[in-house]
Amino acid sequence: MSEPTAQGGRRIPIVVDCDTGIDDSLALLYAVASSECELVAVTCTAGNVEARQVAENTRAVLELAGRSDVEVALGRETPLARALVTTPETHGPRGIGYAELPPASSPLSPRFGPDLIVEEARRRPGELTLVTLAPLTNVALAVLREPELPRLLRRVVIMGGSYRSPGNTAPTTEWNVACDPEAARVVFEAFAGAGSDGRRIRPIALGLDVTERAKILPEHLARLAAMAGCEPNGSTLGGSTPDGSTSGRSTSGGVNPIVRYLADALRFYMEFHSRYDGFYGAFIHDPLALATALDPTLVRTEPLAVEVELDGRLTTGETVTDWRRTWGRPPNVDVAVEADSVRFMARFVERIGVLAAGRAASR
Ligand code: BDR
Ligand code: CA
């Protein structure tokens, strides 16, 4: 398997906007585990849980991964025009399933999330990659503040939308877009005209069409745990719980904190998918988007004109896509139509397995 290299030997600077969220947390771990990634900062928006809980989860997960130095900024706490609806049934009441993490000790950034995005893009024009794993509220505010943002960024990767597949929130809508459709429209419109002046980039959008190919199953977790030298519940060898459960600590031996976190967060997520999607496993949408930002060869894209529906009776939040070019408009989005999920899953298991092994060794 060929591994991606950083641009010219330099690491890829990335700002992540997220609503942590179980799969967001896995994306953060993937970023930390990827040597070619320079995780510049993380901005938090309301979505799976309220924005302040997102900021807490984000810092706690980064601390778990040994990266309390990464700047984490709070963004807007409500969608642009609608009331916030969170997803406790999908991600648990606090957004991390059954997992429990120590309270975050690192301070929140004094910067407002959308300002951070603009400032970092201006500080290194043409270099920064923005990865969005959440409703597009913060990014919309950033674009409204700095309309040049599509020219200042090197790459934008969006987890959001449902282009040729059914939705997961309403029949035709995906959660990140449906949660704040007005923000999604602002962002997708900001990239109209991309390519015409050779400087404005088109975002790569990963919708459910491809992210539902990235499925984590118990066997992946078992392989990852084996790489870290422990049981799938995180107990280090010789230290399993008396009933084999993943709750509580082991009676002897130690616990690998990252594998324990994964086991407890993913057990909730897998139970959810077992109820709603018919398999015991979980779609890991956000890590595939993060991995694509580091290595775009993981997906094949088509340049397409996309607009977000705001006035539908049944379809508000739908990413309406002009597959047959009937509008005659230039494309504004590179829509992912295929993903190499086998290569991605192998990379995910290996990288996070190595991260978990290293964290156990360093404790
Ligand atoms: C998206 O919605 C959220 O629940 C996930 O974290 C992901 O970003 C998938 O529709
Ligand atoms: Ca998310």
Side-chain angles (χ1 to χ4, degrees), residues 19 23-24 48 91 133 159 168 174-176 208 285-286:
D19 61 337
D23 60 328
D24 304 73
N48 289 320
H91 294 270
L133 310 175
M159 190 288 124
N168 63 1
E174 180 279 328
W175 160 256
N176 285 340
L208 301 176
H285 313 272
D286 294 343

Side-chain angles (χ1 to χ4, degrees), residues 291-308:
T292 299
L294 295 173
D295 179 8
T297 71
L298 285 171
V299 297
R300 186 172 73 75
T301 61
E302 276 190 41
L304 289 157
V306 178
E307 194 170 317
V308 178

Side-chain angles (χ1 to χ4, degrees), residues 93-119:
R94 286 172 300 112
I96 52 173
Y98 296 121
E100 286 182 21
L101 290 174
S105 57
S106 52
L108 254 184
S109 167
R111 296 201 273 181
F112 180 51
D115 292 345
L116 184 155
I117 293 170
V118 170
E119 288 159 12

Side-chain angles (χ1 to χ4, degrees), residues 126-173:
E127 287 182 23
L128 195 67
T129 293
L130 176 63
V131 185
T132 79
L133 310 175
L136 287 154
T137 319
N138 283 341
V139 186
L141 291 179
V143 160
L144 292 170
R145 181 177 155 198
E146 174 51 280
E148 288 293 302
L149 198 63
R151 292 188 181 83
L152 289 169
L153 293 166
R154 174 170 186 267
R155 179 176 290 146
V156 177
V157 178
I158 294 172
M159 190 288 124
S162 183
Y163 299 88
R164 238 177 191 163
S165 79
N168 63 1
T169 303
T172 61
T173 60

